[in-house]
Amino acid sequence: MHKQLQLLRDLQELDTERKTVETERQVGLKEQQALNAELERLQKMVDSLAGEISVLEGEKSELVSAMALEQGNVERSEGRLPQIKTQKEYVAVLKEVDTAKKLSKDLQAGIDAKDEILQSLTADKDEKDGELAANAEQAEARCAEVDASMVAVNKKLVEMDRQRAAQLEELPKKLRKRYELLMSRRAGVAIVEARNGACLGCHMQLPPQMFNSLFVLNEIQSCPHCSRLLFATAPD
Ligand SMILES: [Zn+2]
């Protein structure tokens, strides 16, 4: 019986350590996820700015084409002026030139406005690009560090699982099941010490006779309050 109790205690110790290692692994994974999420956020901002810039450039190029057309109209009309014979026709062509020039001027104002927005968006994108590059470099380095520690952590977990399976194998099937059930139902603590008459799992007082019987070690007992398996260490 003493041997089984010792096995259970060893198993509990291993499982508690395994939980710590598993938490370490989860922390590492979460950190990597957070780093990647931040990079994704920056990349989305850069992409969205690039999209806006591309739309504006398309609009600007339409304005530039329209202006080239108007300038062509101005030149063509002005070219006709020397050949004009009548005053009426002359005035009409001058009016055409005037209208085309005015349109050109409006178009140029439109192009200038687009240029101004483009300039500010490009500056914004350049800044985000820089931020992204710097963050990506840092995140990559940190992810590599975490990856390296994950290798060690995973190796440790595999070794622990192997050890755990071997330890479980040594327990009678019934006790093994009881242990596993308690592990899942009692927050990963299946066997606890009873000290000063109380269960250290739930901190409830045990019946005195039961507490005293724990030192005799003739059978493995459970806390009547939390059902955890109990062991007692004789005071020094
Ligand atoms: Zn208890």
Side-chain angles (χ1 to χ4, degrees), residues 9-38:
R9 288 175 62 180
D10 290 347
L11 198 55
Q12 179 67 69
E13 202 179 311
L14 180 74
D15 275 338
T16 304
E17 199 191 331
R18 196 193 180 286
K19 207 172 162 186
T20 311
V21 177
E22 179 57 32
T23 305
E24 208 180 305
R25 193 176 82 89
Q26 293 299 334
V27 167
L29 288 178
K30 274 212 180 106
E31 190 186 346
Q32 286 184 328
Q33 275 170 1
L35 287 168
N36 286 325
E38 173 61 9

PDB file of all heavy atoms in Angstrom, residues 9-38:
ATOM      1  N   ARG A   9       1.773   9.733  -5.403  1.00  0.00           N
ATOM      2  CA  ARG A   9       2.397  11.032  -5.083  1.00  0.00           C
ATOM      3  C   ARG A   9       3.387  11.446  -6.170  1.00  0.00           C
ATOM      4  O   ARG A   9       3.440  12.619  -6.554  1.00  0.00           O
ATOM      5  CB  ARG A   9       3.091  10.978  -3.722  1.00  0.00           C
ATOM      6  CG  ARG A   9       2.101  10.935  -2.571  1.00  0.00           C
ATOM      7  CD  ARG A   9       2.788  10.767  -1.240  1.00  0.00           C
ATOM      8  NE  ARG A   9       3.679  11.888  -0.942  1.00  0.00           N
ATOM      9  CZ  ARG A   9       4.405  11.964   0.177  1.00  0.00           C
ATOM     10  NH1 ARG A   9       4.338  10.996   1.080  1.00  0.00           N
ATOM     11  NH2 ARG A   9       5.175  13.003   0.396  1.00  0.00           N
ATOM     12  N   ASP A  10       4.155  10.463  -6.660  1.00  0.00           N
ATOM     13  CA  ASP A  10       5.097  10.751  -7.754  1.00  0.00           C
ATOM     14  C   ASP A  10       4.341  11.207  -8.998  1.00  0.00           C
ATOM     15  O   ASP A  10       4.743  12.146  -9.694  1.00  0.00           O
ATOM     16  CB  ASP A  10       5.917   9.504  -8.097  1.00  0.00           C
ATOM     17  CG  ASP A  10       6.902   9.153  -6.984  1.00  0.00           C
ATOM     18  OD1 ASP A  10       7.113  10.010  -6.089  1.00  0.00           O
ATOM     19  OD2 ASP A  10       7.438   8.022  -7.000  1.00  0.00           O
ATOM     20  N   LEU A  11       3.236  10.523  -9.254  1.00  0.00           N
ATOM     21  CA  LEU A  11       2.420  10.837 -10.421  1.00  0.00           C
ATOM     22  C   LEU A  11       1.854  12.256 -10.312  1.00  0.00           C
ATOM     23  O   LEU A  11       1.867  13.034 -11.270  1.00  0.00           O
ATOM     24  CB  LEU A  11       1.284   9.818 -10.491  1.00  0.00           C
ATOM     25  CG  LEU A  11       0.550   9.671 -11.810  1.00  0.00           C
ATOM     26  CD1 LEU A  11       1.500   9.366 -12.950  1.00  0.00           C
ATOM     27  CD2 LEU A  11      -0.488   8.562 -11.695  1.00  0.00           C
ATOM     28  N   GLN A  12       1.378  12.574  -9.116  1.00  0.00           N
ATOM     29  CA  GLN A  12       0.825  13.911  -8.881  1.00  0.00           C
ATOM     30  C   GLN A  12       1.894  14.984  -9.091  1.00  0.00           C
ATOM     31  O   GLN A  12       1.640  16.008  -9.718  1.00  0.00           O
ATOM     32  CB  GLN A  12       0.268  14.008  -7.458  1.00  0.00           C
ATOM     33  CG  GLN A  12      -0.309  15.381  -7.126  1.00  0.00           C
ATOM     34  CD  GLN A  12      -1.556  15.695  -7.928  1.00  0.00           C
ATOM     35  OE1 GLN A  12      -2.593  15.101  -7.730  1.00  0.00           O
ATOM     36  NE2 GLN A  12      -1.450  16.624  -8.876  1.00  0.00           N
ATOM     37  N   GLU A  13       3.082  14.692  -8.594  1.00  0.00           N
ATOM     38  CA  GLU A  13       4.193  15.641  -8.741  1.00  0.00           C
ATOM     39  C   GLU A  13       4.498  15.864 -10.220  1.00  0.00           C
ATOM     40  O   GLU A  13       4.652  17.000 -10.680  1.00  0.00           O
ATOM     41  CB  GLU A  13       5.427  15.083  -8.025  1.00  0.00           C
ATOM     42  CG  GLU A  13       6.448  16.147  -7.645  1.00  0.00           C
ATOM     43  CD  GLU A  13       7.629  15.527  -6.920  1.00  0.00           C
ATOM     44  OE1 GLU A  13       7.403  14.746  -5.970  1.00  0.00           O
ATOM     45  OE2 GLU A  13       8.765  15.810  -7.314  1.00  0.00           O
ATOM     46  N   LEU A  14       4.527  14.763 -10.945  1.00  0.00           N
ATOM     47  CA  LEU A  14       4.805  14.836 -12.383  1.00  0.00           C
ATOM     48  C   LEU A  14       3.701  15.617 -13.099  1.00  0.00           C
ATOM     49  O   LEU A  14       3.967  16.490 -13.926  1.00  0.00           O
ATOM     50  CB  LEU A  14       4.904  13.414 -12.948  1.00  0.00           C
ATOM     51  CG  LEU A  14       5.188  13.313 -14.443  1.00  0.00           C
ATOM     52  CD1 LEU A  14       6.640  13.663 -14.737  1.00  0.00           C
ATOM     53  CD2 LEU A  14       4.874  11.924 -14.962  1.00  0.00           C
ATOM     54  N   ASP A  15       2.457  15.318 -12.752  1.00  0.00           N
ATOM     55  CA  ASP A  15       1.331  15.997 -13.404  1.00  0.00           C
ATOM     56  C   ASP A  15       1.301  17.491 -13.090  1.00  0.00           C
ATOM     57  O   ASP A  15       0.938  18.305 -13.933  1.00  0.00           O
ATOM     58  CB  ASP A  15       0.009  15.342 -12.989  1.00  0.00           C
ATOM     59  CG  ASP A  15      -0.303  14.128 -13.858  1.00  0.00           C
ATOM     60  OD1 ASP A  15       0.235  14.057 -14.980  1.00  0.00           O
ATOM     61  OD2 ASP A  15      -1.063  13.253 -13.417  1.00  0.00           O
ATOM     62  N   THR A  16       1.670  17.831 -11.869  1.00  0.00           N
ATOM     63  CA  THR A  16       1.710  19.251 -11.498  1.00  0.00           C
ATOM     64  C   THR A  16       2.796  19.971 -12.298  1.00  0.00           C
ATOM     65  O   THR A  16       2.579  21.069 -12.812  1.00  0.00           O
ATOM     66  CB  THR A  16       1.972  19.394  -9.986  1.00  0.00           C
ATOM     67  OG1 THR A  16       0.972  18.662  -9.283  1.00  0.00           O
ATOM     68  CG2 THR A  16       1.941  20.850  -9.549  1.00  0.00           C
ATOM     69  N   GLU A  17       3.937  19.305 -12.438  1.00  0.00           N
ATOM     70  CA  GLU A  17       5.030  19.905 -13.209  1.00  0.00           C
ATOM     71  C   GLU A  17       4.638  19.991 -14.684  1.00  0.00           C
ATOM     72  O   GLU A  17       4.927  20.981 -15.367  1.00  0.00           O
ATOM     73  CB  GLU A  17       6.298  19.062 -13.035  1.00  0.00           C
ATOM     74  CG  GLU A  17       7.561  19.828 -13.394  1.00  0.00           C
ATOM     75  CD  GLU A  17       8.785  18.917 -13.476  1.00  0.00           C
ATOM     76  OE1 GLU A  17       8.813  17.901 -12.767  1.00  0.00           O
ATOM     77  OE2 GLU A  17       9.684  19.254 -14.265  1.00  0.00           O
ATOM     78  N   ARG A  18       3.932  18.947 -15.128  1.00  0.00           N
ATOM     79  CA  ARG A  18       3.518  18.925 -16.529  1.00  0.00           C
ATOM     80  C   ARG A  18       2.582  20.100 -16.835  1.00  0.00           C
ATOM     81  O   ARG A  18       2.649  20.705 -17.900  1.00  0.00           O
ATOM     82  CB  ARG A  18       2.789  17.605 -16.834  1.00  0.00           C
ATOM     83  CG  ARG A  18       2.672  17.350 -18.313  1.00  0.00           C
ATOM     84  CD  ARG A  18       1.700  16.228 -18.622  1.00  0.00           C
ATOM     85  NE  ARG A  18       1.627  16.010 -20.061  1.00  0.00           N
ATOM     86  CZ  ARG A  18       1.004  16.816 -20.907  1.00  0.00           C
ATOM     87  NH1 ARG A  18       0.397  17.886 -20.459  1.00  0.00           N
ATOM     88  NH2 ARG A  18       1.006  16.564 -22.202  1.00  0.00           N
ATOM     89  N   LYS A  19       1.734  20.398 -15.863  1.00  0.00           N
ATOM     90  CA  LYS A  19       0.801  21.511 -16.014  1.00  0.00           C
ATOM     91  C   LYS A  19       1.571  22.833 -16.177  1.00  0.00           C
ATOM     92  O   LYS A  19       1.201  23.677 -16.992  1.00  0.00           O
ATOM     93  CB  LYS A  19      -0.101  21.578 -14.780  1.00  0.00           C
ATOM     94  CG  LYS A  19      -1.454  22.187 -15.030  1.00  0.00           C
ATOM     95  CD  LYS A  19      -2.310  22.018 -13.794  1.00  0.00           C
ATOM     96  CE  LYS A  19      -3.487  22.947 -13.770  1.00  0.00           C
ATOM     97  NZ  LYS A  19      -4.205  22.858 -12.495  1.00  0.00           N
ATOM     98  N   THR A  20       2.620  22.994 -15.379  1.00  0.00           N
ATOM     99  CA  THR A  20       3.442  24.202 -15.471  1.00  0.00           C
ATOM    100  C   THR A  20       4.082  24.300 -16.854  1.00  0.00           C
ATOM    101  O   THR A  20       4.078  25.371 -17.470  1.00  0.00           O
ATOM    102  CB  THR A  20       4.562  24.166 -14.403  1.00  0.00           C
ATOM    103  OG1 THR A  20       3.971  23.843 -13.158  1.00  0.00           O
ATOM    104  CG2 THR A  20       5.300  25.482 -14.314  1.00  0.00           C
ATOM    105  N   VAL A  21       4.619  23.164 -17.305  1.00  0.00           N
ATOM    106  CA  VAL A  21       5.276  23.154 -18.622  1.00  0.00           C
ATOM    107  C   VAL A  21       4.253  23.434 -19.721  1.00  0.00           C
ATOM    108  O   VAL A  21       4.523  24.192 -20.661  1.00  0.00           O
ATOM    109  CB  VAL A  21       5.998  21.806 -18.866  1.00  0.00           C
ATOM    110  CG1 VAL A  21       6.607  21.755 -20.256  1.00  0.00           C
ATOM    111  CG2 VAL A  21       7.078  21.576 -17.814  1.00  0.00           C
ATOM    112  N   GLU A  22       3.066  22.856 -19.571  1.00  0.00           N
ATOM    113  CA  GLU A  22       2.011  23.069 -20.563  1.00  0.00           C
ATOM    114  C   GLU A  22       1.605  24.553 -20.592  1.00  0.00           C
ATOM    115  O   GLU A  22       1.377  25.129 -21.656  1.00  0.00           O
ATOM    116  CB  GLU A  22       0.807  22.176 -20.232  1.00  0.00           C
ATOM    117  CG  GLU A  22      -0.385  22.303 -21.162  1.00  0.00           C
ATOM    118  CD  GLU A  22      -0.066  22.045 -22.632  1.00  0.00           C
ATOM    119  OE1 GLU A  22       0.835  21.217 -22.910  1.00  0.00           O
ATOM    120  OE2 GLU A  22      -0.688  22.687 -23.484  1.00  0.00           O
ATOM    121  N   THR A  23       1.527  25.159 -19.402  1.00  0.00           N
ATOM    122  CA  THR A  23       1.198  26.585 -19.326  1.00  0.00           C
ATOM    123  C   THR A  23       2.268  27.408 -20.045  1.00  0.00           C
ATOM    124  O   THR A  23       1.948  28.334 -20.794  1.00  0.00           O
ATOM    125  CB  THR A  23       1.095  27.025 -17.849  1.00  0.00           C
ATOM    126  OG1 THR A  23       0.162  26.188 -17.199  1.00  0.00           O
ATOM    127  CG2 THR A  23       0.673  28.474 -17.721  1.00  0.00           C
ATOM    128  N   GLU A  24       3.517  27.015 -19.821  1.00  0.00           N
ATOM    129  CA  GLU A  24       4.643  27.686 -20.476  1.00  0.00           C
ATOM    130  C   GLU A  24       4.470  27.622 -22.004  1.00  0.00           C
ATOM    131  O   GLU A  24       4.679  28.606 -22.712  1.00  0.00           O
ATOM    132  CB  GLU A  24       5.917  26.928 -20.083  1.00  0.00           C
ATOM    133  CG  GLU A  24       7.195  27.738 -20.064  1.00  0.00           C
ATOM    134  CD  GLU A  24       8.352  26.817 -19.661  1.00  0.00           C
ATOM    135  OE1 GLU A  24       8.268  26.177 -18.592  1.00  0.00           O
ATOM    136  OE2 GLU A  24       9.304  26.725 -20.425  1.00  0.00           O
ATOM    137  N   ARG A  25       4.046  26.440 -22.460  1.00  0.00           N
ATOM    138  CA  ARG A  25       3.849  26.234 -23.891  1.00  0.00           C
ATOM    139  C   ARG A  25       2.726  27.139 -24.408  1.00  0.00           C
ATOM    140  O   ARG A  25       2.859  27.788 -25.445  1.00  0.00           O
ATOM    141  CB  ARG A  25       3.493  24.768 -24.156  1.00  0.00           C
ATOM    142  CG  ARG A  25       3.568  24.355 -25.614  1.00  0.00           C
ATOM    143  CD  ARG A  25       3.291  22.874 -25.740  1.00  0.00           C
ATOM    144  NE  ARG A  25       1.886  22.599 -25.729  1.00  0.00           N
ATOM    145  CZ  ARG A  25       1.120  22.573 -26.839  1.00  0.00           C
ATOM    146  NH1 ARG A  25       1.679  22.780 -28.018  1.00  0.00           N
ATOM    147  NH2 ARG A  25      -0.163  22.337 -26.761  1.00  0.00           N
ATOM    148  N   GLN A  26       1.644  27.200 -23.641  1.00  0.00           N
ATOM    149  CA  GLN A  26       0.509  28.031 -24.041  1.00  0.00           C
ATOM    150  C   GLN A  26       0.894  29.506 -24.089  1.00  0.00           C
ATOM    151  O   GLN A  26       0.475  30.240 -24.983  1.00  0.00           O
ATOM    152  CB  GLN A  26      -0.677  27.845 -23.077  1.00  0.00           C
ATOM    153  CG  GLN A  26      -1.314  26.472 -23.121  1.00  0.00           C
ATOM    154  CD  GLN A  26      -1.882  26.122 -24.490  1.00  0.00           C
ATOM    155  OE1 GLN A  26      -2.231  27.006 -25.270  1.00  0.00           O
ATOM    156  NE2 GLN A  26      -1.931  24.842 -24.802  1.00  0.00           N
ATOM    157  N   VAL A  27       1.685  29.925 -23.105  1.00  0.00           N
ATOM    158  CA  VAL A  27       2.143  31.324 -23.058  1.00  0.00           C
ATOM    159  C   VAL A  27       2.961  31.635 -24.310  1.00  0.00           C
ATOM    160  O   VAL A  27       2.779  32.673 -24.955  1.00  0.00           O
ATOM    161  CB  VAL A  27       2.960  31.594 -21.766  1.00  0.00           C
ATOM    162  CG1 VAL A  27       3.703  32.922 -21.852  1.00  0.00           C
ATOM    163  CG2 VAL A  27       2.041  31.583 -20.550  1.00  0.00           C
ATOM    164  N   GLY A  28       3.834  30.700 -24.662  1.00  0.00           N
ATOM    165  CA  GLY A  28       4.667  30.872 -25.858  1.00  0.00           C
ATOM    166  C   GLY A  28       3.814  30.973 -27.111  1.00  0.00           C
ATOM    167  O   GLY A  28       4.013  31.870 -27.943  1.00  0.00           O
ATOM    168  N   LEU A  29       2.838  30.096 -27.229  1.00  0.00           N
ATOM    169  CA  LEU A  29       1.967  30.093 -28.412  1.00  0.00           C
ATOM    170  C   LEU A  29       1.160  31.387 -28.492  1.00  0.00           C
ATOM    171  O   LEU A  29       1.013  31.978 -29.555  1.00  0.00           O
ATOM    172  CB  LEU A  29       1.012  28.894 -28.361  1.00  0.00           C
ATOM    173  CG  LEU A  29       1.641  27.517 -28.609  1.00  0.00           C
ATOM    174  CD1 LEU A  29       0.580  26.422 -28.482  1.00  0.00           C
ATOM    175  CD2 LEU A  29       2.288  27.447 -29.988  1.00  0.00           C
ATOM    176  N   LYS A  30       0.665  31.831 -27.328  1.00  0.00           N
ATOM    177  CA  LYS A  30      -0.139  33.065 -27.294  1.00  0.00           C
ATOM    178  C   LYS A  30       0.710  34.250 -27.709  1.00  0.00           C
ATOM    179  O   LYS A  30       0.252  35.146 -28.411  1.00  0.00           O
ATOM    180  CB  LYS A  30      -0.694  33.282 -25.888  1.00  0.00           C
ATOM    181  CG  LYS A  30      -1.993  32.554 -25.671  1.00  0.00           C
ATOM    182  CD  LYS A  30      -2.898  33.333 -24.709  1.00  0.00           C
ATOM    183  CE  LYS A  30      -4.203  32.586 -24.500  1.00  0.00           C
ATOM    184  NZ  LYS A  30      -4.286  31.942 -23.207  1.00  0.00           N
ATOM    185  N   GLU A  31       1.959  34.256 -27.242  1.00  0.00           N
ATOM    186  CA  GLU A  31       2.842  35.378 -27.589  1.00  0.00           C
ATOM    187  C   GLU A  31       3.064  35.411 -29.099  1.00  0.00           C
ATOM    188  O   GLU A  31       2.991  36.473 -29.715  1.00  0.00           O
ATOM    189  CB  GLU A  31       4.179  35.251 -26.848  1.00  0.00           C
ATOM    190  CG  GLU A  31       5.007  36.506 -27.009  1.00  0.00           C
ATOM    191  CD  GLU A  31       6.400  36.419 -26.424  1.00  0.00           C
ATOM    192  OE1 GLU A  31       6.677  35.488 -25.664  1.00  0.00           O
ATOM    193  OE2 GLU A  31       7.207  37.312 -26.771  1.00  0.00           O
ATOM    194  N   GLN A  32       3.304  34.240 -29.680  1.00  0.00           N
ATOM    195  CA  GLN A  32       3.498  34.181 -31.131  1.00  0.00           C
ATOM    196  C   GLN A  32       2.244  34.649 -31.872  1.00  0.00           C
ATOM    197  O   GLN A  32       2.328  35.388 -32.847  1.00  0.00           O
ATOM    198  CB  GLN A  32       3.851  32.760 -31.549  1.00  0.00           C
ATOM    199  CG  GLN A  32       5.282  32.392 -31.175  1.00  0.00           C
ATOM    200  CD  GLN A  32       5.678  31.013 -31.677  1.00  0.00           C
ATOM    201  OE1 GLN A  32       4.850  30.133 -31.762  1.00  0.00           O
ATOM    202  NE2 GLN A  32       6.939  30.850 -32.008  1.00  0.00           N
ATOM    203  N   GLN A  33       1.094  34.229 -31.367  1.00  0.00           N
ATOM    204  CA  GLN A  33      -0.170  34.642 -31.998  1.00  0.00           C
ATOM    205  C   GLN A  33      -0.339  36.150 -31.940  1.00  0.00           C
ATOM    206  O   GLN A  33      -0.747  36.780 -32.912  1.00  0.00           O
ATOM    207  CB  GLN A  33      -1.348  33.981 -31.291  1.00  0.00           C
ATOM    208  CG  GLN A  33      -1.638  32.580 -31.821  1.00  0.00           C
ATOM    209  CD  GLN A  33      -2.644  31.837 -30.961  1.00  0.00           C
ATOM    210  OE1 GLN A  33      -3.145  32.381 -29.972  1.00  0.00           O
ATOM    211  NE2 GLN A  33      -2.925  30.602 -31.312  1.00  0.00           N
ATOM    212  N   ALA A  34      -0.005  36.724 -30.773  1.00  0.00           N
ATOM    213  CA  ALA A  34      -0.150  38.172 -30.599  1.00  0.00           C
ATOM    214  C   ALA A  34       0.790  38.919 -31.551  1.00  0.00           C
ATOM    215  O   ALA A  34       0.404  39.914 -32.164  1.00  0.00           O
ATOM    216  CB  ALA A  34       0.132  38.560 -29.152  1.00  0.00           C
ATOM    217  N   LEU A  35       2.019  38.420 -31.669  1.00  0.00           N
ATOM    218  CA  LEU A  35       2.990  39.055 -32.565  1.00  0.00           C
ATOM    219  C   LEU A  35       2.489  38.999 -34.003  1.00  0.00           C
ATOM    220  O   LEU A  35       2.535  39.991 -34.728  1.00  0.00           O
ATOM    221  CB  LEU A  35       4.348  38.352 -32.463  1.00  0.00           C
ATOM    222  CG  LEU A  35       5.160  38.591 -31.181  1.00  0.00           C
ATOM    223  CD1 LEU A  35       6.328  37.617 -31.094  1.00  0.00           C
ATOM    224  CD2 LEU A  35       5.672  40.027 -31.117  1.00  0.00           C
ATOM    225  N   ASN A  36       1.972  37.846 -34.395  1.00  0.00           N
ATOM    226  CA  ASN A  36       1.479  37.699 -35.766  1.00  0.00           C
ATOM    227  C   ASN A  36       0.245  38.550 -36.021  1.00  0.00           C
ATOM    228  O   ASN A  36       0.078  39.098 -37.109  1.00  0.00           O
ATOM    229  CB  ASN A  36       1.189  36.225 -36.062  1.00  0.00           C
ATOM    230  CG  ASN A  36       2.472  35.436 -36.247  1.00  0.00           C
ATOM    231  OD1 ASN A  36       3.450  35.953 -36.778  1.00  0.00           O
ATOM    232  ND2 ASN A  36       2.491  34.202 -35.799  1.00  0.00           N
ATOM    233  N   ALA A  37      -0.609  38.670 -34.990  1.00  0.00           N
ATOM    234  CA  ALA A  37      -1.815  39.493 -35.137  1.00  0.00           C
ATOM    235  C   ALA A  37      -1.430  40.958 -35.345  1.00  0.00           C
ATOM    236  O   ALA A  37      -2.041  41.665 -36.152  1.00  0.00           O
ATOM    237  CB  ALA A  37      -2.708  39.348 -33.913  1.00  0.00           C
ATOM    238  N   GLU A  38      -0.410  41.414 -34.623  1.00  0.00           N
ATOM    239  CA  GLU A  38       0.036  42.804 -34.752  1.00  0.00           C
ATOM    240  C   GLU A  38       0.599  43.045 -36.159  1.00  0.00           C
ATOM    241  O   GLU A  38       0.323  44.066 -36.782  1.00  0.00           O
ATOM    242  CB  GLU A  38       1.082  43.113 -33.666  1.00  0.00           C
ATOM    243  CG  GLU A  38       1.775  44.457 -33.765  1.00  0.00           C
ATOM    244  CD  GLU A  38       0.834  45.652 -33.656  1.00  0.00           C
ATOM    245  OE1 GLU A  38      -0.352  45.460 -33.342  1.00  0.00           O
ATOM    246  OE2 GLU A  38       1.300  46.796 -33.907  1.00  0.00           O
TER     247      GLU A  38
END
